[in-house]
Structure formats: structure tokens, C-alpha cells
Amino acid sequence: MSSSLDIQFVSDIMCPWCVVGLGNLNKALDQLDDNTSVNLSFQPFELNPTMPPEGQNIREHIVEKYGISEHESDKNRAMIQARGKEVDFDFNFAPDSRMRNSFDAHRLLHWAGIQGKQAELKATLFKAHFTDNQDVSDLTVLANLAASVGLDLVEAKDVLENQRYADDVREQEQFWQKNGISSVPTVIINHKYAISGGQPVDVFKSALEEIIAKEES
């Protein structure tokens, strides 16, 4: 019997646990029965919607936002780096790494979804921000990243420079907030099941198999 999973991955490219969660989710999906069809889409969430254009130093930001010490902040990043290695991702935290405003990146991802390139762009944005320390709030950087996954450079620039899909993204963000999502990643399956956090592979796999069994019964 074939089964289908519609998966909406609510996340922000500024969120390291979203990288870990997506990596483990993809590994879990690879372990499912071949008869399971999967439609994976990415939904916008901004951890810092008021982040100014210049961004903020990542250590300074974490200490200020969560009220922890610099030592605790450094320790947390070391743990995230280790979890990243488990999903073959390199978190390259540097003294000058910065948190950025991600709204324009979400607009670009919305357009990429229409073009069938959302997953590729999502992965590229994560790498650009966390591994290469690029400014993913810069419109030129974003357009070039879009082109690197096969999207049209001229149209990408038009999307970014003319604020296309701004209303769509805000509407989606508000929808998830109204539905109780206050942290990411949150994985919504078949519009009725939710898995929160950057869970290990086996947790995702067990949850997905349980959902498939429920849907088939």
C-alpha cells in the first residue's frame, strides 16, 4: 500500500537547530518504505523580525537575547557544531559571525518554491550563512545564491528589489504564529501532526512511521 506525507518545515535560515533538524528529517525520510511519497515545503518564520540591516554579532546577540554568559554561548555553539557534523554540515562560527534579517531570504524562498527549487535554495542559504559567513540579507548576495541553484538571476533580482511576495510571506508567518508555533524548527505533517525541535533521526523516523500507520488505518 502506498502512503503520502505532506511535510511543511517551518524554519528560519538564522536557526542552527533548523539545519540539524532538516538534516535528520531527510535521513529519516531516506529510511522510509519506498512506497511512501513525500512532498516537502519550507514555511517562513523569523526568529528576529526586527533585526536591523547591519545585523548583530552572534555572540553578543545570543548573550543579550537569552541572558546567558559568553562562556555558555560559546559552549552552546560548540555543541551545535558537533550536531552539525552528524548531518555533514559545517558550522563555521567566527568571532565576527553575525545574525541577519532573514525576511528577504524568505521572499526568495517563496519564489523558489514556485519554481520548484526551494529545497536547493534552502540548503544553499544555510551554507552561505553558517559555513561561508555571507551576508544573506544583502540583495546581491541573495540573487547570486539563487542563480547558483539554477534560478534566473534577472528574475531573482526583480523579486528582491521590488518586494515581490512580501505580503505572502507575512501572511504565512502570521498563520503559523496564530496556530501556536513560537519556536523552530516545527515540522507539520499532513496538516495535523507536529514534531518540534531538531530531533535525532530515530525520533523523526518513529514519528513518521506512526503517522503513516495512523493514516492507513
Side-chain angles (χ1 to χ4, degrees), residues 172-183:
Q172 288 172 332
E173 289 178 335
Q174 288 165 9
F175 172 82
W176 295 115
Q177 288 166 8
K178 285 175 185 173
N179 280 275
I181 292 179
S182 57
S183 64

Side-chain angles (χ1 to χ4, degrees), residues 13-14 100-101 105 125 128-129 134-138 141-142 145:
I13 59 164
M14 293 296 113
R100 303 287 183 180
N101 188 296
L125 287 167
H129 176 60
Q134 294 188 59
D135 180 357
V136 291
S137 66
D138 181 274
V141 170
L142 285 172
L145 291 172

Side-chain angles (χ1 to χ4, degrees), residues 49-124:
T50 59
M51 181 65 68
E54 69 274 14
Q56 185 180 19
N57 178 274
I58 191 166
R59 179 196 267 181
E60 177 188 301
H61 174 79
I62 297 299
V63 167
E64 185 181 294
K65 184 172 183 176
Y66 298 105
I68 60 177
S69 68
E70 288 190 355
H71 174 70
E72 288 172 311
S73 176
D74 293 343
K75 194 174 171 183
N76 287 346
R77 284 197 296 283
M79 178 179 64
I80 289 167
Q81 282 179 311
R83 290 291 299 275
K85 283 184 169 54
E86 294 172 8
V87 293
D88 304 314
F89 189 89
D90 179 22
F91 284 104
N92 179 28
F93 296 115
D96 59 349
S97 292
R98 299 183 78 76
M99 296 294 283
R100 303 287 183 180
N101 188 296
S102 59
F103 185 72
D104 289 326
H106 284 303
R107 289 194 299 110
L108 196 65
L109 279 164
H110 183 93
W111 170 64
I114 297 168
Q115 305 299 316
K117 288 279 189 179
Q118 202 178 38
E120 294 92 332
L121 182 61
K122 186 77 167 182
T124 296

Side-chain angles (χ1 to χ4, degrees), residues 103 107 110-111 114 159 163-170:
F103 185 72
R107 289 194 299 110
H110 183 93
W111 170 64
I114 297 168
V159 167
Q163 291 298 309
R164 285 165 60 185
Y165 307 114
D167 290 344
D168 301 86
V169 170
R170 288 197 180 95

